Amino acid sequence: VAAWVVINTTITADQTTAPDGVATSADSVLETVANDTHAIRKDYTVGAGSYIFSCFVKSIGGRNFQLVTQELGGGGSGGGTVRFNLSTGTVASGTGTIREIGDGWYRVSGTAVTAGASGIRVIAYSLDGAAPTFTGDVTKGFYMWGMQVEAAPIATSYIPTTTAQVTRNKDDI
């Protein structure tokens, strides 16, 4: 997540063990003390169609997590907002999925639909309960690892990539 745009947060790479068991490969996203939203965002170039976004997330200091997807340029039905309760492992609002992985990690997902090739923005928020705007705490936020974007309808198993698209054998679902 180091290449993401920060919004009242600080990203630090390689802070804890990721769900794949590789020591210190998951990044921390910690809030600043601003009384505002605390998030990171990234734009993805995609063509027209339906997409699913998924990542692995773990709470730091009891924070919840919100995933927002938006179509850049308009024209499609856009994205949506999904709020996840990381204490109970449930979708608190919106349409998305959450699955417990173990050791406090969850795999979460949401969708977006584009009409053209303008792209999609993904925004990942730290939440104080359900509140997106609050006075932050520099010791709280979330760990994030393994964000991936793929054609809908479901998130497949994690596909390790860095800068280029990867093709691999199909998942048996």
Side-chain angles (χ1 to χ4, degrees), residues 10-11 28-29 32 43 56 58 63 72-74 95 98 108 117 122-123 138 143 151 153-154 165 169:
T10 302
I11 298 173
S28 68
V29 180
T32 67
D43 296 346
F56 296 86
K58 181 178 182 176
R63 293 300 195 216
L72 299 174
T95 303
I98 185 169
V108 298
V122 176
I123 310 169
V138 297
Y143 293 111
I154 60 164
Q165 182 176 346
N169 293 334

PDB file of all heavy atoms in Angstrom, residues 10-11 28-29 32 43 56 58 63 72-74 95 98 108 117 122-123 138 143 151 153-154 165 169:
ATOM      1  N   THR A  10      -0.631   7.779   7.971  1.00  0.00           N
ATOM      2  CA  THR A  10       0.771   7.491   7.702  1.00  0.00           C
ATOM      3  C   THR A  10       0.887   6.017   7.360  1.00  0.00           C
ATOM      4  O   THR A  10       0.415   5.168   8.117  1.00  0.00           O
ATOM      5  CB  THR A  10       1.641   7.782   8.946  1.00  0.00           C
ATOM      6  OG1 THR A  10       1.457   9.152   9.304  1.00  0.00           O
ATOM      7  CG2 THR A  10       3.100   7.517   8.671  1.00  0.00           C
ATOM      8  N   ILE A  11       1.470   5.714   6.217  1.00  0.00           N
ATOM      9  CA  ILE A  11       1.690   4.319   5.812  1.00  0.00           C
ATOM     10  C   ILE A  11       3.119   3.938   6.144  1.00  0.00           C
ATOM     11  O   ILE A  11       4.058   4.659   5.796  1.00  0.00           O
ATOM     12  CB  ILE A  11       1.455   4.127   4.302  1.00  0.00           C
ATOM     13  CG1 ILE A  11       0.000   4.447   3.928  1.00  0.00           C
ATOM     14  CG2 ILE A  11       1.804   2.692   3.889  1.00  0.00           C
ATOM     15  CD1 ILE A  11      -0.251   4.438   2.433  1.00  0.00           C
ATOM     16  N   SER A  28       1.253  -1.001   7.752  1.00  0.00           N
ATOM     17  CA  SER A  28       0.338  -0.350   8.685  1.00  0.00           C
ATOM     18  C   SER A  28      -0.129   0.974   8.098  1.00  0.00           C
ATOM     19  O   SER A  28       0.620   1.657   7.388  1.00  0.00           O
ATOM     20  CB  SER A  28       1.004  -0.110  10.044  1.00  0.00           C
ATOM     21  OG  SER A  28       2.030   0.848   9.936  1.00  0.00           O
ATOM     22  N   VAL A  29      -1.387   1.306   8.383  1.00  0.00           N
ATOM     23  CA  VAL A  29      -1.969   2.590   8.013  1.00  0.00           C
ATOM     24  C   VAL A  29      -2.484   3.187   9.316  1.00  0.00           C
ATOM     25  O   VAL A  29      -3.477   2.727   9.871  1.00  0.00           O
ATOM     26  CB  VAL A  29      -3.110   2.426   6.994  1.00  0.00           C
ATOM     27  CG1 VAL A  29      -3.706   3.783   6.634  1.00  0.00           C
ATOM     28  CG2 VAL A  29      -2.616   1.709   5.736  1.00  0.00           C
ATOM     29  N   THR A  32      -3.603  10.183  11.636  1.00  0.00           N
ATOM     30  CA  THR A  32      -3.001  11.376  12.213  1.00  0.00           C
ATOM     31  C   THR A  32      -3.986  11.902  13.258  1.00  0.00           C
ATOM     32  O   THR A  32      -5.073  11.348  13.426  1.00  0.00           O
ATOM     33  CB  THR A  32      -2.753  12.462  11.152  1.00  0.00           C
ATOM     34  OG1 THR A  32      -4.015  12.939  10.670  1.00  0.00           O
ATOM     35  CG2 THR A  32      -1.895  11.932  10.010  1.00  0.00           C
ATOM     36  N   ASP A  43      -6.054   4.834  -7.593  1.00  0.00           N
ATOM     37  CA  ASP A  43      -6.828   4.743  -8.822  1.00  0.00           C
ATOM     38  C   ASP A  43      -6.313   3.572  -9.651  1.00  0.00           C
ATOM     39  O   ASP A  43      -5.095   3.356  -9.745  1.00  0.00           O
ATOM     40  CB  ASP A  43      -6.713   6.032  -9.632  1.00  0.00           C
ATOM     41  CG  ASP A  43      -7.316   7.227  -8.916  1.00  0.00           C
ATOM     42  OD1 ASP A  43      -8.049   7.039  -7.920  1.00  0.00           O
ATOM     43  OD2 ASP A  43      -7.062   8.368  -9.360  1.00  0.00           O
ATOM     44  N   PHE A  56      -6.801  -7.888   2.352  1.00  0.00           N
ATOM     45  CA  PHE A  56      -6.741  -8.443   3.695  1.00  0.00           C
ATOM     46  C   PHE A  56      -6.517  -7.286   4.644  1.00  0.00           C
ATOM     47  O   PHE A  56      -5.673  -6.423   4.392  1.00  0.00           O
ATOM     48  CB  PHE A  56      -5.599  -9.457   3.796  1.00  0.00           C
ATOM     49  CG  PHE A  56      -5.805 -10.654   2.902  1.00  0.00           C
ATOM     50  CD1 PHE A  56      -5.404 -10.627   1.577  1.00  0.00           C
ATOM     51  CD2 PHE A  56      -6.409 -11.797   3.396  1.00  0.00           C
ATOM     52  CE1 PHE A  56      -5.592 -11.717   0.755  1.00  0.00           C
ATOM     53  CE2 PHE A  56      -6.601 -12.899   2.577  1.00  0.00           C
ATOM     54  CZ  PHE A  56      -6.199 -12.854   1.257  1.00  0.00           C
ATOM     55  N   LYS A  58      -6.553  -5.948   8.991  1.00  0.00           N
ATOM     56  CA  LYS A  58      -6.523  -6.289  10.414  1.00  0.00           C
ATOM     57  C   LYS A  58      -6.563  -4.984  11.199  1.00  0.00           C
ATOM     58  O   LYS A  58      -5.826  -4.046  10.890  1.00  0.00           O
ATOM     59  CB  LYS A  58      -5.241  -7.072  10.728  1.00  0.00           C
ATOM     60  CG  LYS A  58      -5.098  -7.496  12.167  1.00  0.00           C
ATOM     61  CD  LYS A  58      -3.810  -8.312  12.340  1.00  0.00           C
ATOM     62  CE  LYS A  58      -3.623  -8.802  13.755  1.00  0.00           C
ATOM     63  NZ  LYS A  58      -2.440  -9.668  13.879  1.00  0.00           N
ATOM     64  N   ARG A  63     -10.025  -0.311  15.630  1.00  0.00           N
ATOM     65  CA  ARG A  63     -10.685   0.433  14.556  1.00  0.00           C
ATOM     66  C   ARG A  63     -11.425  -0.509  13.608  1.00  0.00           C
ATOM     67  O   ARG A  63     -11.052  -1.666  13.425  1.00  0.00           O
ATOM     68  CB  ARG A  63      -9.678   1.253  13.761  1.00  0.00           C
ATOM     69  CG  ARG A  63      -9.062   2.385  14.540  1.00  0.00           C
ATOM     70  CD  ARG A  63     -10.100   3.364  15.019  1.00  0.00           C
ATOM     71  NE  ARG A  63      -9.471   4.600  15.442  1.00  0.00           N
ATOM     72  CZ  ARG A  63      -9.883   5.326  16.461  1.00  0.00           C
ATOM     73  NH1 ARG A  63     -10.926   4.941  17.175  1.00  0.00           N
ATOM     74  NH2 ARG A  63      -9.269   6.437  16.768  1.00  0.00           N
ATOM     75  N   LEU A  72     -14.284   6.564 -11.952  1.00  0.00           N
ATOM     76  CA  LEU A  72     -13.694   7.848 -12.342  1.00  0.00           C
ATOM     77  C   LEU A  72     -14.302   8.262 -13.675  1.00  0.00           C
ATOM     78  O   LEU A  72     -14.353   7.481 -14.612  1.00  0.00           O
ATOM     79  CB  LEU A  72     -12.176   7.724 -12.476  1.00  0.00           C
ATOM     80  CG  LEU A  72     -11.447   7.327 -11.193  1.00  0.00           C
ATOM     81  CD1 LEU A  72      -9.971   7.081 -11.487  1.00  0.00           C
ATOM     82  CD2 LEU A  72     -11.622   8.387 -10.131  1.00  0.00           C
ATOM     83  N   GLY A  73     -14.789   9.457 -13.769  1.00  0.00           N
ATOM     84  CA  GLY A  73     -15.346   9.952 -15.021  1.00  0.00           C
ATOM     85  C   GLY A  73     -16.840   9.740 -15.169  1.00  0.00           C
ATOM     86  O   GLY A  73     -17.454  10.300 -16.064  1.00  0.00           O
ATOM     87  N   GLY A  74     -17.458   8.904 -14.352  1.00  0.00           N
ATOM     88  CA  GLY A  74     -18.906   8.707 -14.403  1.00  0.00           C
ATOM     89  C   GLY A  74     -19.353   7.876 -15.585  1.00  0.00           C
ATOM     90  O   GLY A  74     -18.567   7.405 -16.391  1.00  0.00           O
ATOM     91  N   THR A  95     -22.993  -3.578   0.509  1.00  0.00           N
ATOM     92  CA  THR A  95     -22.943  -4.902  -0.108  1.00  0.00           C
ATOM     93  C   THR A  95     -21.489  -5.288  -0.309  1.00  0.00           C
ATOM     94  O   THR A  95     -20.777  -4.677  -1.099  1.00  0.00           O
ATOM     95  CB  THR A  95     -23.683  -4.908  -1.455  1.00  0.00           C
ATOM     96  OG1 THR A  95     -25.019  -4.476  -1.236  1.00  0.00           O
ATOM     97  CG2 THR A  95     -23.679  -6.294  -2.062  1.00  0.00           C
ATOM     98  N   ILE A  98     -17.003 -10.422   3.950  1.00  0.00           N
ATOM     99  CA  ILE A  98     -15.913 -10.461   4.920  1.00  0.00           C
ATOM    100  C   ILE A  98     -15.732 -11.922   5.319  1.00  0.00           C
ATOM    101  O   ILE A  98     -16.708 -12.643   5.531  1.00  0.00           O
ATOM    102  CB  ILE A  98     -16.183  -9.552   6.139  1.00  0.00           C
ATOM    103  CG1 ILE A  98     -14.954  -9.527   7.077  1.00  0.00           C
ATOM    104  CG2 ILE A  98     -17.465  -9.953   6.846  1.00  0.00           C
ATOM    105  CD1 ILE A  98     -15.037  -8.451   8.155  1.00  0.00           C
ATOM    106  N   VAL A 108     -11.742  -8.840   2.911  1.00  0.00           N
ATOM    107  CA  VAL A 108     -12.941  -8.069   2.643  1.00  0.00           C
ATOM    108  C   VAL A 108     -13.017  -7.756   1.156  1.00  0.00           C
ATOM    109  O   VAL A 108     -11.994  -7.721   0.462  1.00  0.00           O
ATOM    110  CB  VAL A 108     -12.969  -6.761   3.474  1.00  0.00           C
ATOM    111  CG1 VAL A 108     -12.975  -7.075   4.962  1.00  0.00           C
ATOM    112  CG2 VAL A 108     -11.800  -5.853   3.131  1.00  0.00           C
ATOM    113  N   ALA A 117     -13.615   3.320 -20.035  1.00  0.00           N
ATOM    114  CA  ALA A 117     -12.258   2.969 -19.638  1.00  0.00           C
ATOM    115  C   ALA A 117     -11.627   4.027 -18.747  1.00  0.00           C
ATOM    116  O   ALA A 117     -10.421   4.174 -18.719  1.00  0.00           O
ATOM    117  CB  ALA A 117     -11.406   2.754 -20.883  1.00  0.00           C
ATOM    118  N   VAL A 122     -10.309   3.322  -5.449  1.00  0.00           N
ATOM    119  CA  VAL A 122     -10.580   2.569  -4.226  1.00  0.00           C
ATOM    120  C   VAL A 122     -10.084   3.406  -3.056  1.00  0.00           C
ATOM    121  O   VAL A 122      -8.963   3.914  -3.080  1.00  0.00           O
ATOM    122  CB  VAL A 122      -9.858   1.208  -4.227  1.00  0.00           C
ATOM    123  CG1 VAL A 122     -10.072   0.478  -2.914  1.00  0.00           C
ATOM    124  CG2 VAL A 122     -10.335   0.358  -5.387  1.00  0.00           C
ATOM    125  N   ILE A 123     -10.942   3.577  -2.051  1.00  0.00           N
ATOM    126  CA  ILE A 123     -10.584   4.330  -0.851  1.00  0.00           C
ATOM    127  C   ILE A 123     -10.798   3.410   0.349  1.00  0.00           C
ATOM    128  O   ILE A 123     -11.868   2.822   0.496  1.00  0.00           O
ATOM    129  CB  ILE A 123     -11.426   5.608  -0.688  1.00  0.00           C
ATOM    130  CG1 ILE A 123     -11.429   6.407  -1.992  1.00  0.00           C
ATOM    131  CG2 ILE A 123     -10.903   6.444   0.475  1.00  0.00           C
ATOM    132  CD1 ILE A 123     -12.442   7.539  -2.012  1.00  0.00           C
ATOM    133  N   VAL A 138      -2.756   8.452  16.661  1.00  0.00           N
ATOM    134  CA  VAL A 138      -1.595   7.972  15.897  1.00  0.00           C
ATOM    135  C   VAL A 138      -1.220   6.526  16.218  1.00  0.00           C
ATOM    136  O   VAL A 138      -0.355   5.958  15.548  1.00  0.00           O
ATOM    137  CB  VAL A 138      -0.369   8.886  16.080  1.00  0.00           C
ATOM    138  CG1 VAL A 138      -0.656  10.282  15.552  1.00  0.00           C
ATOM    139  CG2 VAL A 138       0.080   8.934  17.530  1.00  0.00           C
ATOM    140  N   TYR A 143      -3.927  -2.676   9.496  1.00  0.00           N
ATOM    141  CA  TYR A 143      -2.920  -3.288   8.640  1.00  0.00           C
ATOM    142  C   TYR A 143      -3.641  -3.677   7.357  1.00  0.00           C
ATOM    143  O   TYR A 143      -4.801  -4.108   7.381  1.00  0.00           O
ATOM    144  CB  TYR A 143      -2.325  -4.549   9.263  1.00  0.00           C
ATOM    145  CG  TYR A 143      -1.513  -4.310  10.503  1.00  0.00           C
ATOM    146  CD1 TYR A 143      -1.976  -4.734  11.745  1.00  0.00           C
ATOM    147  CD2 TYR A 143      -0.270  -3.681  10.439  1.00  0.00           C
ATOM    148  CE1 TYR A 143      -1.217  -4.528  12.892  1.00  0.00           C
ATOM    149  CE2 TYR A 143       0.491  -3.481  11.580  1.00  0.00           C
ATOM    150  CZ  TYR A 143       0.003  -3.907  12.801  1.00  0.00           C
ATOM    151  OH  TYR A 143       0.749  -3.695  13.936  1.00  0.00           O
ATOM    152  N   ALA A 151     -11.972  -9.019 -12.555  1.00  0.00           N
ATOM    153  CA  ALA A 151     -13.317  -9.051 -13.113  1.00  0.00           C
ATOM    154  C   ALA A 151     -14.254  -9.770 -12.137  1.00  0.00           C
ATOM    155  O   ALA A 151     -13.883 -10.778 -11.534  1.00  0.00           O
ATOM    156  CB  ALA A 151     -13.311  -9.751 -14.460  1.00  0.00           C
ATOM    157  N   PRO A 153     -17.541 -12.027 -11.009  1.00  0.00           N
ATOM    158  CA  PRO A 153     -18.404 -11.775  -9.861  1.00  0.00           C
ATOM    159  C   PRO A 153     -17.795 -12.097  -8.496  1.00  0.00           C
ATOM    160  O   PRO A 153     -18.363 -11.710  -7.486  1.00  0.00           O
ATOM    161  CB  PRO A 153     -19.586 -12.695 -10.109  1.00  0.00           C
ATOM    162  CG  PRO A 153     -18.968 -13.900 -10.747  1.00  0.00           C
ATOM    163  CD  PRO A 153     -17.845 -13.336 -11.604  1.00  0.00           C
ATOM    164  N   ILE A 154     -16.659 -12.806  -8.427  1.00  0.00           N
ATOM    165  CA  ILE A 154     -16.141 -13.186  -7.111  1.00  0.00           C
ATOM    166  C   ILE A 154     -14.648 -12.890  -7.010  1.00  0.00           C
ATOM    167  O   ILE A 154     -13.948 -12.828  -8.013  1.00  0.00           O
ATOM    168  CB  ILE A 154     -16.365 -14.693  -6.807  1.00  0.00           C
ATOM    169  CG1 ILE A 154     -15.657 -15.538  -7.848  1.00  0.00           C
ATOM    170  CG2 ILE A 154     -17.827 -15.034  -6.713  1.00  0.00           C
ATOM    171  CD1 ILE A 154     -15.469 -16.967  -7.466  1.00  0.00           C
ATOM    172  N   GLN A 165      -0.079  -6.888 -14.791  1.00  0.00           N
ATOM    173  CA  GLN A 165      -1.149  -7.860 -14.724  1.00  0.00           C
ATOM    174  C   GLN A 165      -0.565  -9.273 -14.794  1.00  0.00           C
ATOM    175  O   GLN A 165       0.408  -9.524 -15.495  1.00  0.00           O
ATOM    176  CB  GLN A 165      -2.105  -7.638 -15.893  1.00  0.00           C
ATOM    177  CG  GLN A 165      -3.283  -8.564 -15.908  1.00  0.00           C
ATOM    178  CD  GLN A 165      -4.248  -8.213 -17.044  1.00  0.00           C
ATOM    179  OE1 GLN A 165      -4.158  -7.150 -17.648  1.00  0.00           O
ATOM    180  NE2 GLN A 165      -5.155  -9.110 -17.338  1.00  0.00           N
ATOM    181  N   ASN A 169      -3.516 -20.161 -13.519  1.00  0.00           N
ATOM    182  CA  ASN A 169      -4.543 -21.183 -13.692  1.00  0.00           C
ATOM    183  C   ASN A 169      -5.798 -20.793 -12.932  1.00  0.00           C
ATOM    184  O   ASN A 169      -5.753 -20.056 -11.944  1.00  0.00           O
ATOM    185  CB  ASN A 169      -4.028 -22.532 -13.181  1.00  0.00           C
ATOM    186  CG  ASN A 169      -2.895 -23.064 -14.036  1.00  0.00           C
ATOM    187  OD1 ASN A 169      -2.818 -22.730 -15.211  1.00  0.00           O
ATOM    188  ND2 ASN A 169      -2.037 -23.859 -13.452  1.00  0.00           N
TER     189      ASN A 169
END
